[in-house]
Amino acid sequence: MRCLKVAFGMEDDEHLIDAHYGDSEFFAIYEVCEDGSVKLLEKRHNKAKDFEEEHDEGHGDPRKFKAVVSQLLDVDVLAAFRMGPNFLRIRDKTNKVAFFTRTRDIKLALQRVVENFDELWEQVQEKKRAIEKPIVEE
């Protein structure tokens, strides 16, 4: 059965954070499968939360981006309520798929992942294929 590993940026046990993904208190890591089953795998402390961002960089410091992604290497989809500058970097420069829940309620957010499972699965496979392709220099 096809399953995705999804990390939600959380404020508390029931709500996604209403701030940048990298400022989440923790990441709730779920396994979401094509049959609609959902299982909480772990709550992973966000070690990058208190990362000091450079003043000239402000929000979206590339070093914080690396600190967040390095904690989530085993995850397929990063799910968030709000988008910050680093979330675009995650989408564009990693093998992770970004998903915007449009809700802060974790139960509803999980339901939205289930409803969009096939599309998310295809995006994840596309990212994996892109990484496997050798780069041909001209």
Side-chain angles (χ1 to χ4, degrees):
M1 178 170 25
R2 300 179 308 165
C3 297
L4 294 169
K5 205 166 183 182
V6 183
F8 293 86
M10 301 299 291
E11 175 180 295
D12 58 36
D13 285 343
E14 297 175 9
H15 300 97
L16 281 71
I17 193 161
D18 186 12
H20 294 177
Y21 197 75
D23 294 333
S24 301
E25 290 295 323
F26 63 92
F27 302 107
I29 314 293
Y30 282 85
E31 180 182 68
V32 179
C33 298
E34 63 185 323
D35 66 356
S37 63
V38 170
K39 178 180 168 189
L40 176 63
L41 299 175
E42 68 176 295
K43 292 178 186 174
R44 194 173 293 174
H45 174 70
N46 179 13
K47 297 178 196 134
K49 182 184 185 305
D50 298 320
F51 188 94
E52 279 297 317
E53 296 185 69
E54 293 291 319
H55 292 293
D56 59 331
E57 291 284 342
H59 281 293
D61 186 327
R63 295 169 310 139
K64 186 168 185 177
F65 155 73
K66 288 179 183 159
V68 170
V69 172
S70 69
Q71 301 175 78
L72 302 170
L73 295 176
D74 60 326
V75 172
D76 301 308
V77 178
L78 306 182
F81 170 68
R82 180 182 295 252
M83 172 174 41
N86 272 333
F87 212 75
L88 293 173
R89 273 193 192 97
I90 290 166
R91 183 194 69 196
D92 297 340
K93 299 182 189 254
T94 73
N95 65 343
K96 309 299 174 210
V97 171
F99 180 71
F100 300 101
T101 62
R102 295 184 170 77
T103 180
R104 292 187 61 220
D105 179 275
I106 186 63
K107 290 182 179 104
L108 190 50
L110 283 162
Q111 186 58 41
R112 292 195 175 152
V113 171
V114 168
E115 290 166 358
N116 290 280
F117 183 90
D118 288 334
E119 183 181 333
L120 288 168
W121 178 265
E122 280 310 312
Q123 289 177 33
V124 167
Q125 299 315 306
E126 199 173 296
K127 289 249 185 184
K128 287 180 179 177
R129 282 190 297 271
I131 289 171
E132 291 168 2
K133 284 182 192 167
I135 297 170
V136 178
E137 293 187 25
E138 295 182 27

